[in-house]
Amino acid sequence: MKKKIFLTAGYNTISQGTGRKEFNPKKLRPGIDHYLKEAGQATIKKVGGAANVDEGVIGNFIASSFVKQAHLGAFLSEIDAGLRYKPSQRVEGACASGGLAVLSGIKSVLTGTSDVVLAIGVEVQNSVKAVYGADYLGYAGWFGDRKAGHAYFFPGLFSNRAGAYFEKFGREKTRKAFAVWYKNAIENARLCPTAQEYHNTCEDLVSLALTEPDPKIFTEFLNAYDCSKVSDGASSIAICSEEGLQKAGIDRSDAIEIMSWSLVTDNITKSPDDPTKLSTIEIAASKALQSAGLKIKDIATIELHDCFTIAGILSIEALGLAKHGEGAEFVLEGSTSRLGSIPVNTTGGLIGWGHPTGATGVHQTVAIWEQLTGKAGASQVNIPASKPYGMTINMGGDDKTVVAIVFKR
Amino acid sequence: MTYEEKLNNVSVLGAAGKMGSGILLLTAIEMTDIRLKSAKAPGSMILNAIDVSSAALSELHLYLRNQIRKIAEKKIVLLRGLYSGNKDLIENTEIIEYYIEDVISHIMLSTRTESSYQSTIIFEAIIEDSEIKIDLFRKILKNNNNDPWFFTNTSSVPISELDRGAELNGKIIGFHFYNPPAVQKLVELIATDKTDIMLVEFARQLAGNLSKKIVPANDFPGFIGNGHFIRDLLFGISMAERLSEKFKLPASIYAVNRISHDFLIRPMGIFQLMDYVGIDVCMKILQVMRSRLKDDQLHSNLIDKLISAGIKGGQNPDGSQKPGIFIYEKGRPTSVFDCDLLKYLPLESFRNDIDKKIGNPPPSWKPWKEVVNNRQNHVFLKHYFSELKGSDTPGSKLAVEYHLNSKRIGLELVESGVADNIGNVNTVLLTGFYHVYGPVNDYLD
C-alpha cells in the first residue's frame, strides 16, 4: 500500500426480517432512507460530525427493483445536511456491492482525494415475497440462463453446486457439515443483538438443519436452513488516511489498518468450470494474502460469504483452510466455530446475522473492525497477539465478483 | 370418458357463494393444470360460474385473482415446469401473472342455468333447501344430453333424497367441502348404494388432485360433520340456558363460549362457531335434520329468536365476521346479543365477574394456537385433561361435562351408522374443524 489506510467508526443496524421478534411482514416497515440514515448518522457522529467527512459512497445491489429507488448516491445529504454538495456515488456488484463501496473509499483515500470517506451498504428486501425477490436477486446472474433456471434462481445455482459436491465427495458427510455450519451461524448470531437470528431459541439446530430438501417447493439439494436470510439493513464505516483519523479525533487503537485488497471478476455469462470449486474466491484470497505478505494461517478471524452453506464449505477450500474435498471435515471437526482454529463469521454470517445483499460487504468489514479492536461484546473471540489479522471475502453473483480485504489491528 | 375429458365442461351452481366460490377456484386450478400438462388449446375447457346474483358474480374475479395468485406463488416450481415451453415467460412474476389469466380464462360467468346444459360435471353449492336443489337438478337433467354427474356440497340433505327426487339414478355424490374450501383439507364423501361406481372413483381422484383428505360418511342427515357440530351446539345452548338460572343468558353464552374455546383448547368457542357457519345456515341444517330424523330435540328456541331478530352471522366477502350472537373486533367477540332487550351488550360489562366465577383452566393449559403446531401433543393433552378432571372450578367441571357430551355424540355417530368408525369421526373434527384432538378419546377415562 502506498500509504496507510484505516477503518473506524463502524455501525450495523439490526438485520431485519423473519426470525426477529419485532418483524411483522404485514405491517409497514422502515424504508431504505431510514436504514441509510441510521447507519450513516452513527458513523458520522463517531468521526466528529459531517464537517470531517469528505466523501460518501453507497453500496447497494438492487434497490431499484426491491423498493423502486435508484440514484442512492444522492441520499448523502439526506443522511446529514452538512454533507450537501459533497461527492457521493452508488456502486454495484450484486452481493459484493458493499465490498466495492469499501474499495471505492480506499481508492479515494489512496489517491489523496479524500481523508475521510463514509462507506455505507444498504438493502431492503422484505418489500416483496420471496418468490418475487428471487427474480430481483436473479439479476446477479446471467439473465440468459434465467429461463432454464430454478424458480429460486440463486438457490438453484448453489443447489447444483451442492449436488456436484455430493456426487464427488459424499452426500451424508457434506449434509452433516451443512448442519454444523448452520448451528455455528445461529449460535454466533445469538451473541449479537443486531443479528437476525438473535432471538432464535431452537434447541436442536442440527436436526432442524438436516430437514430433507423438498424439490417440489424448493431446490433439490438445499433446504431453507442452507440459505442466507432475506434481510433489510445497513452498515457503515469510515475509511481514513492518517490525517483523516487525526482530524476525526479517533485514537489509532479504535481503528484497523488495511493490509491489502483484491478485486477479481469472472465472466458472468459462463457456468463454473468446476462446480465444486469457487475459483474466483480462490484467486482473490490468494492475491490479497500475497500482497499482505501473509499466509492463511496468519489470519485470526474471517468473515466469508456464506450465502448458502455449500458456499461456506467451498470458501473454506478456496481459502486453502482445507484441501479440495475436505472442507466438510474441517467444519465437522469444529475448526470454524468460535473456539476453533479459525473462527469464521463470528456474529453469524449471512445465514445467522443476515444478508441485506448490498450491505453485506460493509457489514463484514464492521464485524472484523469490532473483533480486531475488541468491540465485539458477547461475540468477541480471542485475537492472539501473534496474529493480529482479519480478512473479509465478499462475493457477487455465483463467484463472479469477489472483493477480498486483509486487515490488521 | 377419461378423468380429463370429464373435466372439459364443468358448471358450479351457486358459484358466487362462500362455498361455491372456493369450489370454483379449486376446479379452475385443476382444469388449468390438466390443460397445461396435456398442452391442450386454451378454450378447450370451460368452467361455468353460475349464480342467481349478478352482483355477487361481478365480485368474483377480484376474489379469484387474489386466491390464484396465492396458490401460484406457492407452486411456482411446478408452474415453471408447466410453462417451460413458453419462451416469453422468464421470471416468476411473469409466470404468475400469466397463470392467473390462464386460470381466469376458463371461467364463464352466468346467471342462467342454461349455461350448464353442456357440462359433464355439475357442482352444486346453493342454498341448503332440498326442494330447490331437486328442481334445479331436474331442470338440468332434462336439458343436458351429456349424462352429467352431480356433486352436491350439501352438508345435511341426504344424497338418496336428492337422487330420488330428481331421478338422477345414482349420478350424484355428496362432496362436502369445509369452509373455506381453498384452505380446509377435508372433504366428506357420501356415496349411496345407488351411486355410480365410476363416479365414486372419479370423486376420489378429484379429491386427491385437489390435495383434499377424504372421509367417507354414510347417507344420514347432517353426515358426520354437522352430525357432531349441530348436537354439540345444541348442548352448548342448553348449558347456557341452564347457567342462565345463575347468570343472565348473555353472560351464560359468554361463559359457555369461553369454556368450549379456552378450557377445551378448541380454535373457537361453540357460539363463535355458530356465527362462523351462519345462524341462518345452522337453522336450515336443524330443519333438515329434525324433519328427516323425526327428532324434535333437534331444535333451538334461541336460534329461532336470533333469526326473527334478524341476527344471522356469517362472513363478509373479505372473510371478516358479520355480527351474529357476538359482535367481533379483530376476530374477537366484544359484545353479545341479548334476545330479551334485542340489543348487543358489551362483554366488558360482565366479563371480569364471570371469569372470576368460572375460574381459570388448570395450570398446564396452553392456547389452541400453541398446541396445534405441536405434533407431539398427545402427552400434553392427556396431562391437561387429567388436571381438568381433578379441578374444582366451575369452569373445569362444565368443560368436563361438555367434553364427555362431545364424545358421546361421536360414539353415537358410529353406533347409528353415520360413520363407519371412530377414526372417521375424529378425522372430521381434526381436519374439518381444526380441533387438536378427536372427540372420542381416553383423556378423561
Side-chain angles (χ1 to χ4, degrees), chain A residues 129 131-132 134-136 139 143 146-152 215-218, chain B residues 69-70 73-74 76-78 80 83-84 86-87 89-93 95-96:
Chain A
K129 289 184 183 175
V131 64
Y132 304 111
D135 284 339
Y136 303 153
Y139 302 154
F143 198 69
R146 181 69 181 103
K147 176 65 183 168
H150 196 277
Y152 296 94
K216 279 189 187 158
I217 56 167
F218 197 56
Chain B
R69 178 181 301 281
K70 283 186 192 167
E73 286 167 353
K74 281 186 192 144
I76 185 64
V77 174
L78 173 77
R80 282 193 82 87
Y83 286 114
S84 60
N86 186 334
K87 61 182 190 309
L89 302 179
I90 298 171
E91 297 195 73
N92 293 342
T93 181
I95 287 169
I96 289 166

Side-chain angles (χ1 to χ4, degrees), chain B residues 232-331:
Chain B
D232 202 46
L233 171 62
L234 292 177
F235 185 79
I237 293 171
S238 72
M239 185 180 266
E241 285 167 349
R242 174 157 49 100
L243 284 182
S244 71
E245 291 162 12
K246 269 198 228 162
F247 320 131
K248 289 187 170 156
L249 186 60
S252 306
I253 286 167
Y254 163 77
V256 173
N257 195 65
R258 172 146 191 252
I259 285 159
S260 52
H261 181 191
D262 289 341
F263 284 71
L264 291 179
I265 316 180
R266 289 184 177 186
M268 54 177 85
I270 191 66
F271 288 103
Q272 198 178 346
L273 182 56
M274 174 179 79
D275 285 347
Y276 180 82
V277 171
I279 301 170
D280 50 346
V281 176
C282 291
M283 189 168 79
K284 286 268 178 208
I285 297 168
L286 267 170
Q287 284 168 353
V288 169
M289 289 175 65
R290 180 170 63 245
S291 60
R292 275 45 166 206
L293 293 168
K294 304 198 182 350
D295 180 353
D296 290 340
Q297 300 297 309
L298 292 166
H299 170 259
S300 161
N301 286 330
L302 177 69
I303 289 180
D304 289 351
K305 276 188 199 169
L306 288 167
I307 293 294
S308 56
I311 308 293
K312 290 201 245 177
Q315 283 122 58
N316 294 307
D318 69 355
S320 62
Q321 184 65 48
K322 289 181 188 169
I325 200 158
F326 293 122
I327 288 179
Y328 300 83
E329 273 170 35
K330 292 181 180 167

